[in-house]
Every structure is written in C-alpha cells, then in structure tokens.
Amino acid sequence: FLHYLDEGWTIFIVSDHGLLVTEELPPVLGDPFGVNAKLMYDLGYTGLFKDENGDLTKKIDWANTRAIAARGNHIWINLKGRNKYGIVEPEDKYALEEQIINDLYNYRDQYGNRVVSIVLRNKDAAVLGMSGPECGDILFFMEEGFNIIHMDSLSTQHGYFDTSVSPIFVACGPGIKEGFTTDRVIRQVDVAPTI
C-alpha cells in the first residue's frame, strides 16, 4: 500500500483491540466463549445438575437458576416473561441485582484477593458505553490479573506479561502531522467519522 502515499492518498492503520493474557485458567468468572457457571453456582445463583457420583456436570438446571454469567462480562437474570425457563419475578429483579452486585464485590479468591473491580446494572453501564437489550442485566469488569481476554477488563488494565487491550492507530499522508506520536486515547468510535 506504500505506493498510495506517493499518489497522494492518506492511509489509516487501525486494529480492533489487543488481547490480555491471564494467570487464572480457567477464568474465575466470565468466559470468552460460553458460560462459566462455577462462581455463580458457588454463590447460589446458577443451578447445575450432578452426575451419578454427585459431581457437578456442565448442564444448567434452569429450574434452580436465578442468574447466569454468560459470555464475556454479562450476567443475565433468569426472568419470567423474558427467558424461556425464567423463574425470577420481574418485581424481584432489582433486589436480586443488588444482591448479586454485593456478593461479587465481597467475593475473594483463595488468597483473599478481590476478583471483581466494577459491577453495574445495565442502565448504569451506559456511562461505559455498554447498555441496552443486547447487554446483560449486570455487567462486571475483572480486577487486573484476573481479566481473561478483552471483554471483561477496563481498557486501562494490563494482563500477564504486560499484555493489554490497546489497539493500533497509525495514520500517514496528506493532512496528517509528520512524525507525530501521542499517548492520548484515540476512541475507535471516532475513527470512521474522522476518515
């Protein structure tokens, strides 16, 4: 693409996001690909069936599930009228969210470390650009060191081996300051309108 610069084009090179490496595998809470039910089971929110030996299976017992931590950093209330197997009455949703938020803030790992940095209701997560019907009823962000890949951490955090979610932004050509670098945050949502 370099020949386009000689022809007067302006070129932008951007990336979606970086990735975090974690020390905790499997993750304590959240999962980049599916459901991580163990912590929510331990806290009494997600029901799991047991096998003939009394060991937990990966099959969810919806009749005993009030909330579930699904892909990424979203927790869904198993709400009557919205979810196929919903058991939580809509009028009980707010109080249940409050209970889950308190339990997540109070949860400690085996070494006494707090695992969750921020927990918000869907409506409150709008300040972070995450709310609406496609997001969970509760959104959480893991404490630095417990973050998994990208969706469960704040953009300022680092993972193991100093990994981060920082993306790439390079621009060159007419209208771009030559040799200029910045540590300023460049918001991805501004890239398309800028171009």
Side-chain angles (χ1 to χ4, degrees):
F1 292 97
L2 289 177
H3 68 90
Y4 286 116
L5 292 173
D6 296 331
E7 298 170 21
W9 287 71
T10 299
I11 296 177
F12 290 82
I13 302 171
V14 298
S15 68
D16 180 12
H17 55 75
L19 293 175
L20 294 164
V21 175
T22 181
E23 294 181 68
E24 297 287 336
L25 287 173
V28 177
L29 182 65
D31 191 288
F33 307 109
V35 172
N36 179 341
K38 184 67 170 80
L39 177 55
M40 294 298 282
Y41 172 84
D42 290 343
L43 292 175
Y45 297 112
T46 299
L48 294 173
F49 286 106
K50 295 183 178 180
D51 63 18
E52 61 277 357
N53 299 318
D55 297 322
L56 292 176
T57 68
K58 293 183 179 181
K59 188 173 180 183
I60 297 167
D61 178 3
W62 291 106
N64 290 300
T65 294
R66 293 182 293 155
I68 189 161
R71 183 179 187 268
N73 53 341
H74 302 265
I75 294 175
W76 296 89
I77 304 298
N78 192 18
L79 199 61
K80 275 188 182 178
R82 180 185 70 186
N83 300 91
K84 184 176 181 180
Y85 303 108
I87 65 169
V88 176
E89 297 290 344
E91 61 268 21
D92 297 331
K93 181 177 180 279
Y94 191 89
L96 179 58
E97 289 173 346
E98 183 71 18
Q99 183 183 354
I100 292 169
I101 290 169
N102 286 335
D103 284 345
L104 290 179
Y105 275 130
N106 290 320
Y107 182 80
R108 299 293 185 268
D109 72 0
Q110 62 197 23
Y111 305 108
N113 300 312
R114 183 166 43 87
V115 172
V116 175
S117 62
I118 297 177
V119 190
L120 299 166
R121 285 187 171 86
N122 182 300
K123 68 182 182 69
D124 300 324
V127 300
L128 299 175
M130 298 180 72
S131 65
E134 300 301 319
C135 291
D137 298 304
I138 297 171
L139 287 97
F140 63 87
F141 296 88
M142 303 300 282
E143 189 63 40
E144 201 164 53
F146 292 97
N147 34 23
I148 309 163
I149 294 185
H150 63 280
M151 76 289 286
D152 66 336
S153 71
L154 299 171
S155 60
T156 54
Q157 292 181 343
H158 287 84
Y160 204 41
F161 301 119
D162 203 34
T163 51
S164 79
V165 294
S166 294
I168 295 169
F169 183 92
V170 179
C172 55
I176 304 298
K177 293 179 187 176
E178 189 173 337
F180 177 76
T181 60
T182 182
D183 291 328
R184 181 176 66 83
V185 173
I186 298 172
R187 300 183 69 229
Q188 293 179 7
V189 295
D190 293 333
V191 172
T194 298
I195 292 173

